[in-house]
């Protein structure tokens, strides 16, 4: 039996009481004057008047409670053949020492620090050290292009930048320091110092007077026994800025505050993910993404769990059994990753032979998010792993799940294609373009009735008007998710696609997400994308791009014809789905999201620029050549 309906109803009846009760799990220097202050900020602020420190709650609080010898972080790096376990006491020592290093460089409460790091424990140390000082960190994905990094430097104006000399991808080393130097040269703002973690795979040249060596400076500070204490900050002060792409090309700096962030994330670990303190939780993401912030670093540590930091890939480091090895070796009870990762594993090991090689007796749940999880992938994972597979939906802006199947409250019946139901804090409405609710089953814009819950963004960094225009203006009284979908009669939410992925075919509004669901269900398809391309006659036409499973020995054209017929059967001729192109790979961000917008721009022969987050730029050349070979680029 699930307690979901009871818990959600308790939030609906008294939101302030609900979150005040959740806040009892957090240590405070000063309690709030008001749980929710409706007159602060753009739509109100949570825990106004409170004082707290996020790093204290992640580390000191647990060490004082006797959890010091428990592992806090397990680092597993197949690309460097390195494994390391760091206890809560050891992590506290590292964080307090590095916070002192930052303080010695002039970093103090309210200052910004950019962190430009690969998936190494030092990245988490840097994040928590900033939190300890009350400084505001902004993690930029390691290896981001110099021009993109420069825009973030100019927007948040960091006092210091913490970077590594390099990142390591399968078969190649990505040197970060030349990109960092170039970014600082491009930017108008210059940081006072750059603290560089030298990795043995590529040692960086240092600039005298600006660059500081991490290892030697930390060693000297340790020898002197100097550690920075926790600084009390207002609960409504920013903890971090995380940049997400903007439609104007100028990135949007999503702000996360301290108090609401801690309360909501701590609540999710047990109630949504079903994790107990002391258990091993693995989020196979990167600290450069919101998932890495929330569920590699902050939520597990706030909860007193053990978090796995993995520097590797789901396949190729060294094989499709990489995830199962990590789960087996480290006794992981729950994995959170992107559906793309599972599609890659399924493509290379459709029979699940590698799963049989490992002891997964401690493993009890799999969570998917980041892209729509197609039914075929979910069912494959269910059949092979024999554990609940939970699709859930959230955004950089929210910081935690909008909709989920809450394991900790008791699992609800699964409906494939749905991330299940809204979580407490989210009053989800499906609205038409007049901000009127639509009937169950009808597609509209998915919107959240204000106020947003704790941990959701209160604003954009130094851009309140842009925040209002981007999220609040379109549907007054609501936060618009920019996702389209519907809700069924049981209250289950279905997220079909971004609203700009609703295409207009001869006056019919059609969902490319629905078409993708159908295409992905074909036995020979490993992964797919459906995009709408310009058409002089019908306005737009859907085009499917598919990657076939390894070992498929049929003619590509034969499979493509079957896919066209599948969509025509399921949706009807109105879909005008006639073109399918088989490709070797789909272009993706490094978090696994397919770059549909860029593919659409190529097909429509519009100007586009290389996405900063792309995993492998060469894929776009492959896609362009494949499109051109089939005459699928407009006016080419």
């Amino acid at each position: 039996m699930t307690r979901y309906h009871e818990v959600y109803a308790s939030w609906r009846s008294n939101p302030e009481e609900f979150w005040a009760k959740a806040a009892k799990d957090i240590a405070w220097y000063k309690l709030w004057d008001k749980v929710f202050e409706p007159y602060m900020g753009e739509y109100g602020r949570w825990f106004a008047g409170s004082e707290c420190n996020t790093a204290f709650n992640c580390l000191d609080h647990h060490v004082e409670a006797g959890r010091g010898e428990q592992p806090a972080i397990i680092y597993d790096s197949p690309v460097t053949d390195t494994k390391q376990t760091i206890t809560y006491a050891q992590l506290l020592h590292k964080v307090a020492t590095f916070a002192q290093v930052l303080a010695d460089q002039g970093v103090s409460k309210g200052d910004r620090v950019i962190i430009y790091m690969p998936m190494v424990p030092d990245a988490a140390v840097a994040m928590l050290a900033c939190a300890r000082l009350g400084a505001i960190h902004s993690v930029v994905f390691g290896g981001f292009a110099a021009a993109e990094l420069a825009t973030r430097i100019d927007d948040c104006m960091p006092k210091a930048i913490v970077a590594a000399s390099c990142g390591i991808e399968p078969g190649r080393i990505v040197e970060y320091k030349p990109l960092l130097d170039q970014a600082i040269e491009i930017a108008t703002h210059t940081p006072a110092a750059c603290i560089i973690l030298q990795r043995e795979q590529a040692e960086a040249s240092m600039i005298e007077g600006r660059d500081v060596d991490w290892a030697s400076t930390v060693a000297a500070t340790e020898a002197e026994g100097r550690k920075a204490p926790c600084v009390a900050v207002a609960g409504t002060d920013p903890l971090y800025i995380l940049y997400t792409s903007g439609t104007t090309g100028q990135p949007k700096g999503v702000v996360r505050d301290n108090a609401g962030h801690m309360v909501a994330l701590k609540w999710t670990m047990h109630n949504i993910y079903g994790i107990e303190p002391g258990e091993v939780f693995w989020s196979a993401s990167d600290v450069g993404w919101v998932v890495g912030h929330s569920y590699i670093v902050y939520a597990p540590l706030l909860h007193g769990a053990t978090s796995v930091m993995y520097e590797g890939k789901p396949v190729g480091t060294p094989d499709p059994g990489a995830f199962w090895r990590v789960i087996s070796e480290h006794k992981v009870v729950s994995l959170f990753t992107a559906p793309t990762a599972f599609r890659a594993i399924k493509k290379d090991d459709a029979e699940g032979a590698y799963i049989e090689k490992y002891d997964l007796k401690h493993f009890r749940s799999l969570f998917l998010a980041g892209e729509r999880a197609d039914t075929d992938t979910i069912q494959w994972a269910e059949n092979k792993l024999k554990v609940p597979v939970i699709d859930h939906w959230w955004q950089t802006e929210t910081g935690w799940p909008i909709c989920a199947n809450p394991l900790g409250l008791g699992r609800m019946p699964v409906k494939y294609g749905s991330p299940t139901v809204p979580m407490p804090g989210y009053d989800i409405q499906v609205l038409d373009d007049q901000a009127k609710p639509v009937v169950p089953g009808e597609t509209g814009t998915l919107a959240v009735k204000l106020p947003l819950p704790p941990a959701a963004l209160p604003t954009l960094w130094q851009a309140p008007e842009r925040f209002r225009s981007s999220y609040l203006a379109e549907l007054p009284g609501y936060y618009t998710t920019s996702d389209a979908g519907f809700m069924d009669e049981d209250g289950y939410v279905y997220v079909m696609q971004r609203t700009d992925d609703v295409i207009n075919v001869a006056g019919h509004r059609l969902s490319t997400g629905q078409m993708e669901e159908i295409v992905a269900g074909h036995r020979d398809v490993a992964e797919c994308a459906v995009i709408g391309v310009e058409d002089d006659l019908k306005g737009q036409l859907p085009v499917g791009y598919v990657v076939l499973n390894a070992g498929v020995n049929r003619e590509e054209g034969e499979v493509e014809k079957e896919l066209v017929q599948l969509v025509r059967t399921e949706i009807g001729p109105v879909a005008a789905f006639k073109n399918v192109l088989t490709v070797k790979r789909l272009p993706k961000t490094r978090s696994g999201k397919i770059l549909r917008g860029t593919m659409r721009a190529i097909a429509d022969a519009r100007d586009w620029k290389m996405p900063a987050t792309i995993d492998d730029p060469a894929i776009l050349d492959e896609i362009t050549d494949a499109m051109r070979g089939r005459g699928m680029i407009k006016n080419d």
Side-chain angles (χ1 to χ4, degrees):
M1 294 291 292
T2 181
R3 293 176 50 239
Y4 165 76
H5 298 289
E6 169 196 338
V7 172
Y8 192 78
S10 73
W11 163 72
R12 289 294 292 263
S13 65
N14 195 329
E16 292 189 31
E17 183 180 284
F18 181 92
W19 291 116
K21 182 180 178 182
K24 291 179 180 178
D25 288 338
I26 300 300
W28 303 89
Y29 295 137
K30 176 181 177 293
L31 290 178
W32 48 89
D33 299 325
K34 283 190 172 183
V35 177
F36 182 72
E37 173 51 78
Y39 300 107
M40 284 183 72
E42 309 308 320
Y43 60 83
R45 300 295 296 272
W46 292 95
F47 306 106
S50 66
E51 292 183 3
C52 56
N53 185 279
T54 296
F56 179 88
N57 276 276
C58 288
L59 300 172
D60 307 65
H61 180 62
H62 297 306
V63 172
E64 291 174 7
R67 206 176 281 282
E69 296 311 304
Q70 179 199 309
I73 291 175
I74 297 171
Y75 171 54
D76 190 303
S77 172
V79 295
T80 62
D81 195 25
T82 304
K83 295 172 191 172
Q84 180 186 9
T85 298
I86 303 170
T87 67
Y88 271 91
Q90 290 168 335
L91 187 57
L92 172 57
H93 172 77
K94 288 175 180 288
V95 167
T97 303
F98 192 70
Q100 186 60 55
V101 170
L102 287 172
D104 291 345
Q105 298 301 321
V107 175
S108 61
K109 180 178 175 179
D111 286 335
R112 278 77 61 206
V113 176
I114 281 182
I115 299 171
Y116 187 59
M117 302 278 281
M119 276 295 289
V120 292
D122 310 88
V125 167
M127 294 166 72
L128 290 159
C130 290
R132 192 172 188 85
L133 296 175
I136 303 163
H137 66 69
S138 184
V139 180
V140 178
F141 205 119
F144 241 41
E148 298 290 338
L149 178 55
T151 63
R152 289 150 175 77
I153 292 171
D154 282 339
D155 194 67
C156 74
M157 301 177 67
K159 176 69 70 71
I161 296 178
V162 180
S165 61
C166 69
I168 300 157
E169 298 289 329
R172 65 190 178 109
I173 293 170
V174 181
E175 294 194 35
Y176 290 178
K177 186 57 163 46
L179 296 168
L180 173 61
D181 291 341
Q182 187 182 350
I184 293 173
E185 190 175 319
I186 295 169
T188 56
H189 173 81
T190 303
C194 294
I195 302 172
I196 307 299
L197 175 72
Q198 296 281 16
R199 303 189 78 187
E200 63 182 40
Q201 290 80 10
E203 188 168 328
S205 59
M206 305 287 274
I207 295 176
E208 190 173 347
R210 187 198 74 188
D211 293 346
V212 177
D213 179 70
W214 176 305
S216 60
T217 308
V218 165
T221 307
E222 277 183 325
E224 295 164 1
R226 294 189 302 122
K227 298 180 182 179
C230 290
V231 174
V233 299
T236 51
D237 280 350
L239 169 67
Y240 68 75
I241 304 163
L242 181 58
Y243 287 94
T244 185
S245 58
T247 54
T248 63
Q250 179 68 21
K252 297 181 290 191
V254 169
V255 171
R256 196 82 64 214
D257 62 13
N258 277 272
H261 179 251
M262 286 194 285
V263 171
L265 262 60
K266 176 70 171 72
W267 184 89
T268 66
M269 283 300 289
H270 170 72
N271 292 287
I272 295 179
Y273 295 99
I275 304 300
E276 298 299 330
E279 292 188 318
V280 182
F281 180 76
W282 178 22
S283 176
S285 181
D286 188 285
V287 290
W289 304 110
V290 68
V291 174
H293 282 59
S294 293
Y295 292 106
I296 294 175
V297 180
Y298 288 114
L301 298 182
L302 287 167
H303 196 53
T306 299
S307 181
V308 174
M309 287 191 77
Y310 176 70
E311 189 182 26
K313 301 288 185 183
V315 298
T317 56
D319 54 45
F323 275 16
W324 323 131
R325 176 193 64 78
V326 172
I327 290 170
S328 177
E329 280 188 21
H330 305 306
K331 298 180 172 60
V332 172
V333 301
S334 185
L335 169 65
F336 175 1
T337 190
T340 307
F342 263 73
R343 285 193 284 265
I345 294 168
K346 175 172 164 281
K347 177 177 180 288
D348 285 7
D349 184 24
E351 299 305 314
Y354 281 87
I355 297 173
E356 304 300 322
K357 297 181 179 182
Y358 297 96
D359 178 3
L360 305 182
K361 66 174 177 285
H362 297 280
F363 187 54
R364 63 172 186 256
S365 60
L366 168 65
F367 286 82
L368 301 173
E371 282 242 306
R372 289 179 68 254
D374 58 279
T375 300
D376 192 54
T377 297
I378 292 175
Q379 291 179 331
W380 182 88
E382 287 175 334
N383 292 335
K384 300 300 181 187
L385 295 172
K386 312 300 184 189
V387 300
V389 178
I390 308 298
D391 178 19
H392 61 328
W393 169 53
W394 51 299
Q395 300 179 324
T396 300
E397 289 84 352
T398 66
W400 61 286
I402 302 170
C403 291
N405 194 331
L407 279 191
L409 299 178
R411 185 160 63 121
M412 300 175 68
V414 170
K415 293 189 181 185
Y416 295 115
S418 171
T420 315
V421 289
M423 290 297 93
Y426 295 100
D427 181 353
I428 298 289
Q429 304 281 328
V430 186
L431 306 176
D432 63 19
D433 54 11
Q434 302 298 312
K436 302 294 185 186
V438 302
V439 299
E442 186 175 318
T443 298
T445 295
L446 297 171
V448 182
K449 190 173 182 180
L450 295 175
L452 290 171
L457 81 170
T459 191
L460 294 174
W461 178 251
Q462 294 188 324
E465 185 52 47
R466 190 177 182 202
F467 173 70
R468 286 190 290 271
S469 63
S470 296
Y471 301 106
L472 308 182
E474 181 183 348
L475 301 167
Y478 294 88
Y479 162 86
T480 179
T481 66
S482 294
D483 279 311
F486 64 92
M487 189 179 290
D488 71 13
E489 292 180 348
D490 296 324
Y492 279 59
V493 174
Y494 293 76
V495 186
M496 300 312 296
Q497 69 282 306
R498 299 294 286 175
T499 49
D500 61 3
D501 285 337
V502 175
I503 62 174
N504 193 315
V505 181
H508 298 280
R509 288 171 60 78
L510 298 169
S511 162
T512 55
Q514 184 182 5
M515 296 181 207
E516 285 187 9
E517 187 84 18
I518 294 165
V519 172
H522 191 285
R523 66 186 183 280
D524 292 335
V525 173
E527 55 184 342
C528 67
V530 177
I531 63 173
V533 301
E534 293 178 5
D535 180 73
D536 293 335
L537 180 62
K538 296 195 174 185
Q540 286 180 295
L541 285 175
V543 177
Y545 296 82
V546 299
V547 178
L548 301 183
N549 285 313
V552 172
N553 293 318
R554 303 170 63 206
E555 289 288 331
E556 292 176 355
E558 186 181 344
V559 177
E560 292 169 2
K561 286 178 182 176
E562 289 177 4
L563 294 173
V564 169
Q565 188 57 47
L566 265 179
V567 174
R568 287 179 66 86
T569 301
E570 294 287 329
I571 299 177
V574 68
F577 187 76
K578 300 174 182 176
N579 292 310
V580 178
L581 178 61
T582 303
V583 294
K584 293 179 181 177
R585 318 182 274 174
L586 292 171
K588 300 172 189 168
T589 66
R590 288 152 76 174
S591 67
K593 290 188 177 181
I594 297 170
L595 292 162
R596 293 173 178 83
T598 305
M599 294 168 67
R600 196 160 49 237
I602 293 170
D604 290 342
R606 289 186 281 110
D607 290 339
W608 57 276
K609 68 174 186 175
M610 185 65 67
T613 56
I614 192 166
D615 185 40
D616 184 354
I619 300 177
L620 290 177
D621 291 333
E622 295 173 13
I623 289 282
T624 303
D625 290 343
M627 289 184 189
R628 183 165 286 128
R630 292 273 287 271
M632 294 169 67
I633 296 179
K634 188 173 182 177
N635 300 325
D636 194 34

